[in-house]
Amino acid sequence: MVLRYFQEEAVEALFDYWAEEPGNPLIDLATGTGKSMVMATVIQRLCQGWPDMRIMVVTHVAELIEQSFLELLGVWNQAPAGIFSAGLNRRDARSQIIFAGIQTVWNKADLICGARVVDGEKVYDRPIDVVLVDECHLIPKNSDTQYGQFFRVMREVNPDLKIVGLTATPFRLDSGRLDEGEDRMFDRVVYTYGIADGVRDGYLAPLSSKHTATELSMKGVGKQAGDYKQSAMQAAVDKPDVTQAAVDEIVAKGADKRSWLCFCSGVEHAEHVRDEIRSRGISCEMITGDTPKEERRRIIEDFKAYRIRALTNNSVLTTGFNHRGVDLIAALRPTLSASLYLQMMGRGTRVLYAPGMSLDTPDERRAAIAAGPKPSCLVLDFAGLVDKHGPVDMVQPKEPGSGDGEAPMKICPTDRQDKNDNYGCGEKLHASARVCTCCNYEFDIDDSPKIASTAADVPIMTMAEPESRTISSRTFRFHEGKGDKPPSVKVTFMSGMTAINEWLCPQHSGFAKTKADRFWLAHGGNRPFPKGVMEWLERQSELTETAEITVQPRGKYWDVVGHMPGEDYAANDNSEPPANDNRPRPAWMDEEDIPF
């Protein structure tokens, strides 16, 4: 088995770190990029370099324990390795290399390390030298937990114990980064390979997203241990009409998808989503923490074999679950945890290459993904996770104590004028704004924040492929330039409940002017071209509708990169819709010389 280049780099980075300092390093590898192979290579290299060294791999899920054990045997079939896990009915305490479940070994240090009493004192014949923790983001901050007690005793046995963390999310579920703070367990990240890297190299499948009309509301739901209270969250989400509407969208948008994975907000919610999917004649099963082990194994095997099309779960398939065929994720589980968000989305990034195609280069691998049975994984984000945490390749954890809510917003009113007789335009603004950035409407001091009720529509990946959007309406408005810069035409396209903005610049020069002229011609406008924004607005009746646009994600917003004009008919409906694309116009519009 040959390591990929980034796996080799991760191994070398670990040993380079140890050559410089005797600390506890952290390796950050995206879900689906082969942490087990990295661990196996590290273990083999350690044992061959230091034949008396004892090593443990500790995690919390039986499937991960077994998977990592078999991965080591695939790399090194004579490895002196055993398993210590009640869930796998194995207790190999004397092996040189032990793959263990933390629930089983947290209080078994004496047995594992060969404790005996000599002259009234306890001594250890087989101390552990290195512990590798898979999915180490699940180590709680509290030192009194199983992980905390286990490591405290292991350090008492061997003060030189080294701990290596491996994860796809180097931050805890309920707090900040694992390598920061006085109580940190790991000293620093020595290597990172993220989702964007994997998609670029053709080792991970891209995620795509479609706007959902159904949005789960967490209004009034309290918080506990860094996330929503479980019972209150389920009560807010698990409503028959909401579940029915969400499943309607899953069935419609997942018609060409083969494996649907639904993350739900509780056991009862998972049951109700399962039953609603079944009512449409679609095979669906449910897994919860109470599902018997053998039944769980059967359900997962049937799901992987495509005998079951949909699978609902409550907090059990977020880590350690591996089915390459997952091509639709329904996010019906809101969370304040960036780590949990990334773990859920990571279930859809594993690849299925088209058979018979070369996989030697990144371009060839991406082509094989595009031609295969799973060109991408569709994410239906009912829970507003992307809007809260950002695209999966840009997520950063919030600092502890910095708050977890979104910025307070207000809407520029469309039903009244300000003191300068300016009508509002419906723009979505931060609550602190005194003047609308779109129409210059000036708010009264007593204007209270008003929250838009539109569902979020944010790109799931910043490097996703362009996609088309059907347009229901289009508006043109005057947009003031900064300083002495010319004004522009702000175009707002409505696609469902999503407002996507574009700026056209008939008063600029160079590329910006050319872009505006091309839009004018493509939509049937007459020559000569408008010389300014006001002339554009006066002559807009010359233009046909825009039937579709092509959008490319940029951060949390969409860039319009193409237009498809519709059939000729009268002028636009120029009533301003509630925009939820609140970015400023692009900086290049205010540059003197545009390099195009």
Side-chain angles (χ1 to χ4, degrees):
M1 299 179 71
V2 179
L3 292 180
R4 294 167 176 170
Y5 82 88
F6 60 88
Q7 294 170 326
E8 290 180 347
E9 290 177 352
V11 173
E12 292 303 320
L14 174 63
F15 284 94
D16 287 347
Y17 169 81
W18 274 333
E20 297 174 359
E21 53 186 287
N24 303 303
L26 183 62
I27 297 174
D28 172 17
L29 296 176
T31 299
T33 57
K35 291 191 297 294
S36 296
M37 274 288 289
V38 171
M39 282 195 299
T41 305
V42 168
I43 291 168
Q44 183 181 26
R45 185 164 165 177
L46 285 172
C47 289
Q48 291 176 345
W50 295 267
D52 295 331
M53 178 174 288
R54 292 196 77 209
I55 301 169
M56 284 189 72
V57 177
V58 181
T59 190
H60 68 295
V61 178
E63 288 86 350
L64 280 177
I65 299 168
E66 187 175 32
Q67 173 185 317
S68 298
F69 173 76
L70 295 175
E71 196 80 44
L72 175 63
L73 296 184
V75 172
W76 182 20
N77 61 6
Q78 299 298 320
I83 292 175
F84 200 125
S85 168
L88 296 174
N89 295 317
R90 295 275 297 273
R91 288 175 171 78
D92 303 327
R94 301 181 63 87
S95 299
Q96 182 180 356
I97 305 164
I98 300 175
F99 291 82
I102 187 63
Q103 303 93 328
T104 306
V105 302
W106 70 274
N107 58 353
K108 303 293 192 303
D110 285 359
L111 177 61
I112 292 169
C113 297
R116 58 190 178 93
V117 177
V118 177
D119 296 332
E121 293 187 4
K122 185 183 293 187
V123 297
Y124 298 91
D125 295 330
R126 304 187 305 274
I128 297 296
D129 300 290
V130 177
V131 175
L132 294 94
V133 186
D134 194 10
E135 307 293 353
C136 65
H137 60 278
L138 293 172
I139 299 176
K141 191 173 183 178
N142 187 345
S143 61
D144 292 330
T145 61
Q146 291 178 342
Y147 270 113
Q149 295 184 53
F150 171 74
F151 286 122
R152 183 171 60 251
V153 174
M154 284 297 178
R155 288 190 188 279
E156 292 174 357
V157 174
N158 179 10
D160 294 326
L161 177 74
K162 300 295 183 292
I163 303 173
V164 182
L166 296 101
T167 181
T169 52
F171 30 91
R172 291 186 177 94
L173 295 179
D174 59 352
S175 58
R177 291 186 60 87
L178 292 166
D179 57 342
E180 294 180 354
E182 294 182 359
D183 59 344
R184 67 182 185 273
M185 178 168 291
F186 303 100
D187 296 302
R188 65 181 171 93
V189 175
V190 297
Y191 191 79
T192 295
Y193 187 83
I195 290 178
D197 300 313
V199 173
R200 178 200 63 216
D201 289 341
Y203 292 124
L204 293 178
L207 300 175
S208 63
S209 58
K210 287 185 179 179
H211 168 68
T212 62
T214 306
E215 183 179 25
L216 306 180
S217 173
M218 290 292 99
K219 184 177 181 180
V221 176
K223 301 172 181 64
Q224 185 176 27
D227 209 342
Y228 295 114
K229 289 183 178 179
Q230 176 65 46
S231 58
M233 176 177 65
Q234 177 167 254
V237 168
D238 190 18
K239 299 177 180 179
D241 57 332
V242 175
T243 298
Q244 182 177 355
V247 171
D248 283 342
E249 293 196 60
I250 295 171
V251 172
K253 293 171 180 173
D256 59 344
K257 304 295 183 180
R258 299 195 299 167
S259 286
W260 306 350
L261 182 60
C262 305
F263 291 102
C264 302
S265 296
V267 173
E268 293 180 359
H269 186 222
E271 182 179 358
H272 295 155
V273 174
R274 179 202 63 188
D275 293 346
E276 190 65 37
I277 292 175
R278 283 178 172 178
S279 72
R280 318 302 173 88
I282 296 169
S283 57
C284 184
E285 293 289 350
M286 174 185 72
I287 289 180
T288 71
D290 296 327
T291 304
K293 182 174 62 175
E294 290 305 317
E295 182 181 356
R296 172 175 171 164
R297 184 183 295 272
R298 175 191 61 78
I299 291 172
I300 290 177
E301 288 178 353
D302 285 346
F303 186 56
K304 290 182 176 181
Y306 301 102
R307 291 188 288 268
I308 298 171
R309 188 174 187 183
L311 188 58
T312 70
N313 80 103
N314 171 50
S315 301
V316 293
L317 300 180
T318 55
T319 300
F321 174 68
N322 176 8
H323 172 33
R324 295 179 181 275
V326 171
D327 54 2
L328 185 150
I329 292 175
L332 293 158
R333 201 276 191 209
T335 181
L336 299 173
S337 167
S339 178
L340 180 57
Y341 161 54
L342 288 182
Q343 291 293 336
M344 288 190 289
M345 298 303 104
R347 300 312 111 193
T349 57
R350 286 179 169 82
V351 299
L352 287 176
Y353 295 116
M357 296 183 68
S358 173
L359 304 177
D360 294 337
T361 69
D363 287 344
E364 289 173 337
R365 288 190 291 270
R366 290 196 301 269
I369 293 172
K374 178 186 167 181
S376 65
C377 177
L378 174 63
V379 176
L380 299 179
D381 184 21
F382 301 102
L385 301 177
V386 189
D387 194 47
K388 177 169 289 293
H389 300 290
V392 291
D393 48 349
M394 293 181 64
V395 171
Q396 292 294 329
K398 294 181 182 293
E399 292 296 326
S402 64
D404 50 39
E406 298 177 11
M409 307 299 289
K410 63 184 176 185
I411 301 299
C412 184
T414 59
D415 58 350
R416 67 177 188 268
Q417 293 172 292
D418 66 6
K419 62 185 179 182
N420 299 315
D421 296 329
N422 293 323
Y423 270 105
C425 65
E427 185 82 354
K428 186 178 180 182
L429 304 163
H430 190 276
S432 63
R434 296 299 306 277
V435 178
C436 178
T437 57
C438 174
C439 68
N440 295 318
Y441 178 90
E442 187 171 346
F443 291 92
D444 294 332
I445 294 177
D446 61 350
D447 276 335
S448 57
K450 298 178 177 62
I451 308 300
S453 60
T454 56
D457 184 15
V458 182
I460 185 74
M461 294 192 70
T462 62
M463 57 185 298
E465 295 297 318
E467 59 183 79
S468 62
R469 295 293 184 91
T470 301
I471 300 304
S472 56
S473 68
R474 178 195 67 202
T475 62
F476 297 121
R477 287 198 175 269
F478 183 93
H479 192 93
E480 188 67 57
K482 294 181 181 178
D484 59 351
K485 304 302 180 183
S488 59
V489 177
K490 182 178 180 180
V491 190
T492 299
F493 301 100
M494 288 302 297
S495 175
M497 293 299 292
T498 299
I500 301 174
N501 293 331
E502 181 180 20
W503 286 263
L504 299 173
C505 309
Q507 289 179 223
H508 284 60
S509 59
F511 170 76
K513 168 66 171 170
T514 300
K515 178 184 175 184
D517 291 347
R518 287 176 178 171
F519 183 97
W520 187 265
L521 279 180
H523 289 79
N526 299 320
R527 291 177 183 269
F529 300 117
K531 296 179 181 179
V533 174
M534 294 309 299
E535 184 181 349
W536 181 294
L537 298 178
E538 292 169 358
R539 295 174 55 189
Q540 62 179 283
S541 60
E542 298 176 23
L543 303 180
T544 65
E545 67 168 342
T546 303
E548 290 185 8
I549 59 174
T550 304
V551 293
Q552 176 80 40
R554 177 168 62 86
K556 292 179 68 174
Y557 302 106
W558 299 102
D559 280 339
V560 180
V561 296
H563 312 85
M564 180 180 292
E567 299 178 355
D568 291 343
Y569 76 101
N572 314 332
D573 170 10
N574 207 35
S575 58
E576 181 74 4
N580 57 4
D581 177 357
N582 198 32
R583 59 179 173 172
R585 69 177 189 169
W588 59 261
M589 291 171 52
D590 295 320
E591 296 177 2
E592 290 290 350
D593 299 314
I594 301 171
F596 293 97

